[in-house]
Amino acid sequence: MPGAAQEPPVVPDAPTARRWAVDELARPEYHVQRSLLGRLLDWLTEQFDRVQQGVQVDGRVAALVIAVAVLLALAVAWWVAGPVRRGSASASRAVLAEDDVRTAAQMRAAADAAAARGDWTLAVVERFRSVVRDLEERAVLDERPGRTAHEATLEAGTRLAGVATALDAGGRLFDDVAYGGRAATDRDDAALRELAAQVAAARRMAATRSSSAPAVPR
């Protein structure tokens, strides 16, 4: 209510602040940088002990030191955990799961079946997967489960430069539909059918150029 006295912010005492910091830094995502965070935790523990033992330390100064130390610990921990969170997010956006052993033809059949019953979202997802699996079967890409759409299209685009832009667009469509919550349409499925045809033509053209290249004299 206007004019009502506001309660002062809660400032933890030294034991509470130390417990908060220890609990936060003990979370699993921070263990990838345990050496750095371990040293930080040791330093914070030492500072908290000094505050507890310092009989001549002003209470307000001690509270300020504790609050700053806790905020610093949380900030460093958040910064260290960032790559872990991003890495986990990246892994969850894979095109092909490790246990998916289907062939490109089987994935195309699944896409066609989904399209026939109007499930355009599944049709788009399976059709893009079939494109990536086909590139693996044709040795344009190495077999690597967990590869993201961006990684697949970027790598394939360097080998099939003529369809690099189309591959990138297809990868973005896959991410939007599979992980971005976008509802696919029949036009999206048609776009990926066209992508598959373009990739097949570019692959055949690259193979023809490779086979017709003159032998280098030794």
Side-chain angles (χ1 to χ4, degrees):
M1 295 177 58
Q6 295 183 349
E7 294 185 3
V10 177
V11 178
D13 56 18
T16 301
R18 177 169 57 183
R19 188 176 70 253
W20 288 356
V22 170
D23 291 345
E24 177 65 24
L25 295 179
R27 292 173 59 181
E29 58 263 39
Y30 304 144
H31 291 178
V32 293
Q33 296 285 351
R34 182 57 194 169
S35 59
L36 172 62
L37 292 177
R39 291 195 297 270
L40 175 60
L41 181 57
D42 291 341
W43 180 84
L44 286 174
T45 301
E46 181 181 351
Q47 302 311 309
F48 293 145
D49 289 340
R50 288 180 179 179
V51 169
Q52 285 183 280
Q53 298 169 5
V55 295
Q56 297 181 346
V57 177
D58 181 82
R60 294 182 179 179
V61 174
L64 178 61
V65 170
I66 292 171
V68 170
V70 171
L71 290 176
L72 177 62
L74 295 177
V76 172
W78 179 263
W79 173 76
V80 170
V84 177
R85 291 192 302 272
R86 290 192 296 272
S88 299
S90 177
S92 68
R93 297 170 70 91
V95 177
L96 301 173
E98 292 187 7
D99 59 351
D100 192 342
V101 296
R102 293 176 299 165
T103 65
Q106 290 173 324
M107 292 177 179
R108 282 193 297 271
D112 291 342
R117 61 178 181 267
D119 188 348
W120 302 114
T121 294
L122 182 59
V124 163
V125 169
E126 292 286 39
R127 204 169 302 285
F128 184 79
R129 285 173 175 164
S130 74
V131 171
V132 175
R133 177 52 52 83
D134 183 70
L135 289 171
E136 290 181 347
E137 292 175 350
R138 307 296 180 177
V140 176
L141 296 176
D142 62 298
E143 294 187 11
R144 191 196 317 160
R147 181 191 273 117
T148 66
H150 174 71
E151 292 169 340
T153 57
L154 183 64
E155 188 176 346
T158 62
R159 293 167 171 75
L160 303 174
V163 292
T165 300
L167 280 166
D168 180 68
R172 291 177 184 274
L173 174 59
F174 171 83
D175 277 339
D176 288 346
V177 172
Y179 301 113
R182 172 180 167 183
T185 67
D186 56 340
R187 292 185 178 182
D188 295 325
D189 184 53
L192 286 189
R193 288 177 185 270
E194 177 62 22
L195 172 64
Q198 291 177 1
V199 169
R203 192 184 65 242
R204 288 193 296 268
M205 186 177 299
T208 300
R209 285 198 301 266
S210 176
S211 62
S212 62
V216 179
R218 296 183 178 180

